Amino acid sequence: MTVSKTEYFRERMGVTNGLLERCLQAALSAGGDFAELYFESVTSTSIGVDEGIVKSASQGMSVGCGIRVLSGERTGFSYTDDLTEAKLLHAAKTAALIASGPSKVQVQGFVETEVHALYPITGLDTEIAQKLDLVQRADRTARAYDSRVTQVRASFSDEVRRILIVASDGTYASDVQPLSRLNVGVLAKDDSGSARGTSGGGGRVQISYYNEQKTPEFFAAEAARQAILQLTATEAPAGEMEVVLGPGWPGVLIHEAVGHGLEADFNRKKQSAFAGLLGQKVANEKVTVVDNGTIAGRRGSINVDDEGAPTKDTVLIEKGVLRRYMSDKLSAKLMGLPGTGSGRRESYQHFPMPRMTNTYMLAGEDEPADILRSVKKGLYAVNFSGGSVDITNGKFVFAASEAYLIEDGKITAPVKGAMLVGDGPTALNHVSMVGHDLALDEGIGTCGKKGQGVPVGVGMPTIKLDRMTVGGTGR
């Protein structure tokens, strides 16, 4: 028998409305403005193939409840993996004492939140044999791509996350969140040396996605192509030059250099380069950036955030003007901001904070080919492998895993070792052309913040930056 997402914790674990009310009252027993219960049950599967051999296969389940109490700016948080009444009440009283204060509110009646329906909740019990078949197909395809491919690693992981959020302000929201991802890594070698390529993707999708839309063969061929390409790449030039970013995954630069700086908690604490700039121009007028958690099937999308609020399509920067920060309940209250459905947490063992969902730059009107033709000498960055950002000033360093020289308006030689160096606000103001070819990433992003990781999406169209510092060892 299938249990509905609103009844799962009651039917399977005995979490009744009466128990919820008693826990919330215990959480407010030492004084507090707000109390919240976050129940979570996660089942997961992971399979890995290395050198054609299944090297790992695991299945697991975790269950627990995180209890948060707010009193002014103080936060009390406790959690338990035992959902018996005694343990829940003990955790609630612990959180109450941590956040104890003079304020006292009453528990309001629960009102179930109407949420989106962005992903399927049927067909989540796929046989492990079907998942193994995906990684084996990826392994075979990558090996067959080129004789220089010497090592292949492929993996598939998925989970089903069930949540229930109940709070003293009347919040009552639940969701069932599927998530899966296929990864392929390739090592290629020849007389010149070795190179690696990676690819992968997924989202909140059923397993049919990997047979009908983005197949193991697609990801495997892409990983192998990248590795073979890097064998012939020359060292990237260094210096200030024009830079063109390709569509899709290069949007990770927007996520890191801009997105984190627009999370409300950093701005409330004056730790962001964008603090106090609402309503002011922070980018070229061609730049519009949104955070949108409502795109069906995307890795960063969620029907409801981890505080029980439906996600939204939030305009952060509109035609160069800063319009909004991403906020959770606490930041919205303390800063007097509207909520954006951005309260997210890694698990029941973590408290929520403002986080991104799918963050991307909207399409412009320029032809991508015209953007490339406008560059006399510069760099075309297509993929990134990693980077770091200082939120306080927006300064970033990103490593390009696939990049090319642009000479006289044409893409020429592939280069390796290219690093993009700059800061978010300056980079946004150096954007001079924005293509009409907006693309989102394939579904691989995981965002880290204060020790918590959550799945996210990124994206952008082809864009041109008139000036950016490129770090490299070539000429």
Side-chain angles (χ1 to χ4, degrees):
M1 180 181 68
T2 300
V3 179
S4 72
K5 63 182 182 181
T6 57
E7 300 296 326
Y8 179 83
F9 287 94
R10 184 175 71 180
E11 296 293 328
R12 297 287 177 87
M13 300 173 191
V15 179
T16 64
N17 281 357
L19 176 58
L20 296 174
E21 292 174 359
R22 290 192 292 276
C23 288
L24 288 174
Q25 288 167 354
L28 293 171
S29 61
D33 305 317
F34 171 83
E36 170 193 78
L37 312 175
Y38 175 86
F39 293 88
E40 178 186 69
S41 172
V42 179
T43 56
S44 60
T45 303
S46 178
I47 303 172
V49 170
D50 187 355
E51 297 299 288
I53 301 171
V54 178
K55 290 293 182 70
S56 63
S58 63
Q59 290 182 307
M61 180 177 182
S62 69
V63 178
C65 178
I67 301 178
R68 179 174 61 144
V69 179
L70 302 179
S71 180
E73 293 194 35
R74 292 191 298 276
T75 297
F77 183 76
S78 182
Y79 66 87
T80 176
D81 60 3
D82 185 337
L83 300 189
T84 60
E85 180 166 354
K87 293 294 185 181
L88 287 170
L89 289 174
H90 177 74
K93 292 173 182 176
T94 301
L97 290 173
I98 295 172
S100 60
S103 178
K104 185 72 179 291
V105 297
Q106 297 298 317
V107 177
Q108 298 181 25
F110 303 139
V111 178
E112 187 169 347
T113 303
E114 293 186 12
V115 301
H116 311 299
L118 303 175
Y119 29 80
I121 59 173
T122 59
L124 303 180
D125 54 350
T126 306
E127 293 292 333
I128 196 168
Q130 291 180 258
K131 303 169 186 178
L132 176 59
D133 179 61
L134 296 178
V135 293
Q136 290 176 328
R137 285 163 54 190
D139 176 82
R140 290 193 297 268
T141 300
R143 290 182 181 284
Y145 186 89
D146 191 286
S147 61
R148 289 169 288 181
V149 170
T150 60
Q151 186 182 73
V152 178
R153 292 179 177 175
S155 64
F156 181 86
S157 60
D158 67 348
E159 68 175 33
V160 178
R161 181 174 180 243
R162 299 176 184 271
I163 61 173
L164 171 65
I165 307 105
V166 184
S168 59
D169 62 0
T171 296
Y172 186 97
S174 59
D175 198 16
V176 180
Q177 301 171 347
L179 184 66
S180 62
R181 175 175 166 176
L182 178 68
N183 296 315
V184 187
V186 169
L187 176 68
K189 291 183 178 181
D190 64 9
D191 293 339
S192 65
S194 62
R196 296 185 181 275
T198 61
S199 184
R204 303 191 185 278
V205 296
Q206 295 180 309
I207 200 165
S208 58
Y209 172 88
Y210 300 97
N211 291 311
E212 299 168 0
Q213 296 188 51
K214 292 298 175 69
T215 65
E217 289 78 12
F218 170 83
F219 292 125
E222 176 60 17
R225 181 195 67 80
Q226 290 181 22
I228 297 301
L229 177 75
Q230 290 302 305
L231 289 176
T232 63
T234 59
E235 294 296 329
E240 189 175 85
M241 64 188 72
E242 295 175 302
V243 172
V244 175
L245 302 179
W249 180 245
V252 69
L253 188 146
I254 296 294
H255 170 101
E256 293 287 0
V258 179
H260 277 299
L262 298 182
E263 292 167 338
D265 52 347
F266 289 130
N267 289 277
R268 173 166 58 89
K269 299 171 184 177
K270 310 298 183 185
Q271 296 173 341
S272 167
F274 295 97
L277 298 182
L278 283 175
Q280 298 185 35
K281 184 178 182 296
V282 296
N284 184 284
E285 60 272 9
K286 291 191 174 187
V287 174
T288 295
V289 176
V290 304
D291 185 80
N292 185 359
T294 70
I295 310 172
R298 297 299 307 180
R299 180 174 172 85
S301 296
I302 41 178
N303 288 326
V304 58
D305 77 357
D306 294 325
E307 295 182 306
T311 50
K312 297 182 179 180
D313 182 359
T314 302
V315 177
L316 303 174
I317 298 173
E318 182 180 28
K319 296 180 179 180
V321 177
L322 180 57
R323 294 299 185 192
R324 187 159 293 178
Y325 301 129
M326 289 167 280
S327 59
D328 61 351
K329 283 184 176 181
L330 178 61
S331 293
K333 177 184 177 181
L334 295 177
M335 299 178 71
L337 298 174
T340 59
S342 304
R344 304 190 66 189
R345 65 182 99 201
E346 180 177 325
S347 75
Y348 73 89
Q349 300 179 19
H350 303 84
F351 56 83
M353 51 189 166
R355 305 295 299 271
M356 287 172 274
T357 55
N358 303 298
T359 311
Y360 52 95
M361 184 187 296
L362 294 189
E365 299 179 353
D366 295 310
E367 288 286 343
D370 291 341
I371 295 176
L372 290 167
R373 278 194 289 267
S374 72
V375 178
K376 178 68 174 177
K377 184 177 181 180
L379 187 79
Y380 179 42
V382 178
N383 270 309
F384 291 96
S385 58
S388 60
V389 179
D390 185 339
I391 301 299
T392 60
N393 53 29
K395 291 185 177 180
F396 60 78
V397 178
F398 280 95
S401 59
E402 181 179 355
Y404 304 83
L405 293 177
I406 307 174
E407 299 172 291
D408 295 322
K410 296 181 180 179
I411 299 173
T412 57
V415 296
K416 58 186 177 183
M419 305 291 291
L420 300 188
V421 183
D423 69 84
T426 300
L428 290 179
N429 279 287
H430 284 165
V431 174
S432 61
M433 300 180 77
V434 178
H436 56 65
D437 58 341
L438 169 65
L440 301 183
D441 73 292
E442 296 288 359
I444 61 173
T446 297
C447 171
K449 177 180 176 180
K450 298 181 179 179
Q452 294 192 42
V454 296
V456 297
V458 302
M460 66 163 37
T462 299
I463 68 169
K464 176 185 175 183
L465 297 101
D466 286 338
R467 295 198 305 276
M468 179 170 280
T469 300
V470 176
T473 58
R475 296 180 178 180

